[in-house]
């Protein structure tokens, strides 16, 4: 078993807590509780939960997490079997007295959508970003059928939001639609070749988009490595205490991607 970090938290200067959840693994609910408690102890005035590109995970984990911020007795999710019979999972928590926002995009799926729907409909949260993926089914895994190391996932039910909405293949629309900045979707920089002046390719384009997203004043984003790009690469390297060469090597590429 590998303990994989799935929760990242920080406090903004105006006391808004931000918790990013990358997936819902077995340790995610406990890590969420730890970070939420810490932010609350620091005087958090509002909470932003970021589930962009979160593909989902364990159903019981998202129910546990939702209970930490949804008032007791309020529904979190409804599970409907093939006979149409429904079971409702209700919150066992006490709710919170600060506003909550959830940030989603097209990569927010399954358990991420359960959390977003539950917080919107049972805790009054506001959703920001893009419409979610739209996966409204529940699977169970079977790994001992053939004794060959294989695993089969079988769909056993569908889930619905607290209000009874089935979002399968439709997703959940945000209350406030916000398109992500262009640097959010750029691909990792290929470091097989050092990028430098007079080159022209997609890797250079990605560097230019990242630099612009970080506030550097590149005058183009078309993939041509001009003198302006070189100058801003130097400025970035200086700020990062790297050797100021104006060329993008593996260390500079890693620093760009980390800052992005």
């Amino acid at each position: 078993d590998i303990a994989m970090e799935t929760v990242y938290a920080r406090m903004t200067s105006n006391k808004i807590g931000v918790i990013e959840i990358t997936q819902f693994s077995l340790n995610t609910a406990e890590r969420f509780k730890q970070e939420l408690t810490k932010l609350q102890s620091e005087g958090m005035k509002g909470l932003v939960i970021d589930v962009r590109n979160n593909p989902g995970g364990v159903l019981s984990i998202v129910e546990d997490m939702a209970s930490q911020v949804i008032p007791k007795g309020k529904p979190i999710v409804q599970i409907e079997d093939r006979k149409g019979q429904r079971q409702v999972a209700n919150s066992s928590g006490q709710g919170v007295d600060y506003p909550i926002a959830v940030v989603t995009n097209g990569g927010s799926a399954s358990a991420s959508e359960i959390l977003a729907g539950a917080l919107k409909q049972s805790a009054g949260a506001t959703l920001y970003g893009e419409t979610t993926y739209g996966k409204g089914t529940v699977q169970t895994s079977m790994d001992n059928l053939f004794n060959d190391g294989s695993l089969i996932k079988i769909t056993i039910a569908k889930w619905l939001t607290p209000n009874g909405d089935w979002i399968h293949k439709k997703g959940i629309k945000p209350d406030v639609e916000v398109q992500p900045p262009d640097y959010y979707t750029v691909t990792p920089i290929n470091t097989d070749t050092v990028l430098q002046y007079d080159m022209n390719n997609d890797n250079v384009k990605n560097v230019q988009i990242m630099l612009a997203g970080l506030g550097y004043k590149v005058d183009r984003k078309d993939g041509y490595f001009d003198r302006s790009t070189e100058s801003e690469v130097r400025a970035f390297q200086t700020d990062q205490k790297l050797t100021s060469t104006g060329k993008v090597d593996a260390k500079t590429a890693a620093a760009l991607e980390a800052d992005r």
Side-chain angles (χ1 to χ4, degrees):
D1 291 338
I2 299 173
M4 187 171 164
E5 184 58 89
T6 58
V7 178
Y8 301 87
R10 61 185 174 87
M11 184 79 85
T12 68
S13 59
N14 56 348
K15 292 294 182 178
I16 301 299
V18 180
I19 300 181
E20 178 186 358
I21 306 165
T22 58
Q23 67 182 40
F24 296 91
S25 298
L26 294 179
N27 67 335
T28 303
E30 182 58 31
R31 286 287 299 116
F32 180 79
K33 182 178 182 180
Q34 292 169 358
E35 296 296 349
L36 183 64
T37 300
K38 181 181 177 183
L39 290 170
Q40 290 172 339
S41 70
E42 295 173 357
M44 179 173 65
K45 297 179 180 179
L47 174 64
V48 176
I49 298 176
D50 187 348
V51 291
R52 288 176 294 176
N53 292 329
N54 181 325
V58 183
L59 176 61
S60 60
I61 296 299
V62 72
E63 290 176 358
D64 187 351
M65 289 177 57
S67 282
Q68 297 177 38
V69 291
I70 291 177
K72 186 174 183 178
K74 290 276 191 177
I76 295 172
V77 64
Q78 301 185 53
I79 304 299
E80 181 178 305
D81 64 21
R82 62 181 179 178
K83 296 179 181 180
Q85 297 178 330
R86 296 184 185 181
Q87 290 184 330
V88 181
N90 293 317
S91 173
S92 58
Q94 299 300 318
V96 295
D97 59 0
Y98 45 76
I100 299 175
V102 183
V103 186
T104 65
N105 68 0
S108 305
S110 193
S112 294
E113 296 172 291
I114 291 176
L115 183 64
L119 292 178
K120 174 182 172 64
Q121 296 179 3
S122 291
T126 303
L127 306 188
Y128 293 85
E130 299 176 296
T131 299
T132 61
Y133 179 79
K135 180 181 180 291
T137 56
V138 181
Q139 284 79 37
T140 187
S141 298
M142 307 174 71
D143 58 1
N144 294 314
L145 292 180
F146 306 112
N147 296 317
D148 63 355
S150 62
L151 179 144
I152 295 177
K153 279 191 171 184
I154 298 176
T155 298
I156 58 171
K158 64 182 181 182
W159 67 265
L160 302 92
T161 68
N163 291 351
D165 303 322
W166 194 38
I167 57 87
H168 196 63
K169 296 185 178 180
K170 296 183 293 184
I172 300 175
K173 292 184 178 180
D175 299 300
V176 181
E177 186 171 355
V178 182
Q179 295 297 319
D182 53 5
Y183 65 80
Y184 190 79
T185 57
V186 296
T187 58
I189 301 167
N190 188 324
T191 57
D192 291 343
T193 302
V194 174
L195 305 177
Q196 56 188 308
Y197 173 69
D198 207 33
M199 284 186 168
N200 190 355
N201 56 51
D202 286 339
N203 277 313
V204 175
K205 181 179 179 179
N206 289 338
V207 167
Q208 292 168 332
I209 292 172
M210 290 182 191
L211 285 170
L214 293 171
Y216 293 89
K217 297 180 180 180
V218 293
D219 60 4
R220 63 198 308 158
K221 298 179 185 177
D222 59 0
Y224 177 66
F225 204 124
D226 64 353
R227 291 302 185 189
S228 169
T229 302
E230 183 181 61
S231 175
E232 295 308 294
V233 168
R234 287 182 183 276
F236 174 78
Q237 290 169 328
T238 299
D239 292 341
Q240 296 294 313
K241 295 181 172 53
L242 298 170
T243 303
S244 181
T245 63
K247 302 176 183 180
V248 181
D249 56 8
K251 287 185 178 180
T252 302
L256 276 169
E257 291 174 2
D259 271 21
R260 176 189 67 141

